[in-house]
Amino acid sequence: EVQLVESGGDLVQPGRSLRLSCTTSGLTFGDYAISWVRQAPGKGLEWVGFIRSEAYGETTEYGASVKGRFTISRDDSKSIAYLQMNSLKTEDTAVYYCTREAPVYCGADCRNDYWGQGTLVNVSS
Amino acid sequence: SYELNQRLSVSVALGQTARITCGGNNIGSKNVNWYQQRPGQVPVLVIYSDTSRPSGIPERFSGFNSENTATLTISRAQAGDEADYYCQVWDSRSAVFGGGTKLTVL
């Protein structure tokens, strides 16, 4: 059974940093791209960014609202993906989900077929 | 940046057919995914690549995509279908979600 579990969410002051982890099991982690998606309280889904598999150089893409502040990385030996969030703003307050992008080596046909339960990041002074 | 437009809300009578649309410039040339998010729950993929259903998704859910509009159709609507529905595409190396449509089953 494929599972993704996020951790690291916390209450943090504006301007500070936080790192989220996405621990996975039940999948050949290294074959898949991993995305992060967030949802502010009472709002819709917002794509944060994703990291391709090693076969595609573990390259990353980011949404405009987080580009330059957030960094996604992965450790295939541990089947874990990370979201490093710097210079946090109050508008970054949201539940953060990690998701698996399918199929393997997907491109324009990528879809988020498995989601974690999410972890809450609250940016407030 | 690419934009996807969804109506804020749609209502459907129990047992009838609901249609949720997603508008975008030439969206017919892209692969559209649809996600269902019930209150307090994690999003679930219900349609991918315009028309395909993941295993475990009822046949009552179907999708279509042409020109500037993609449509998610839910036949024989049930109370359990009441949820927020989001469309999604990939455009220029980034994913885009629509704003979501709240489906109410009357």
Side-chain angles (χ1 to χ4, degrees), chain B:
Chain B
S1 61
Y2 194 79
E3 292 186 0
L4 295 173
N5 299 305
Q6 296 185 245
R7 289 179 60 184
L8 284 178
S9 63
V10 168
S11 297
V12 63
L14 188 68
Q16 298 303 302
T17 297
R19 292 179 180 83
I20 298 171
T21 60
C22 176
N25 184 31
N26 197 27
I27 194 174
S29 67
K30 303 180 184 300
N31 291 295
V32 178
N33 305 317
W34 290 93
Y35 301 88
Q36 174 196 66
Q37 187 178 31
R38 295 187 174 108
Q41 296 192 17
V42 176
V44 172
L45 179 69
V46 293
I47 293 289
Y48 65 93
S49 297
D50 299 341
T51 60
S52 299
R53 275 179 294 105
S55 62
I57 300 301
E59 292 182 4
R60 300 186 299 104
F61 289 80
S62 63
F64 181 75
N65 185 20
S66 178
E67 297 185 349
N68 295 312
T69 304
T71 303
L72 171 68
T73 300
I74 306 172
S75 304
R76 303 183 298 283
Q78 301 177 358
D81 298 332
E82 196 160 276
D84 293 323
Y85 291 85
Y86 297 90
C87 57
Q88 180 208 34
V89 300
W90 278 86
D91 177 75
S92 298
R93 302 185 302 179
S94 66
V96 181
F97 286 96
T101 297
K102 181 177 180 58
L103 177 67
T104 300
V105 180
L106 304 172

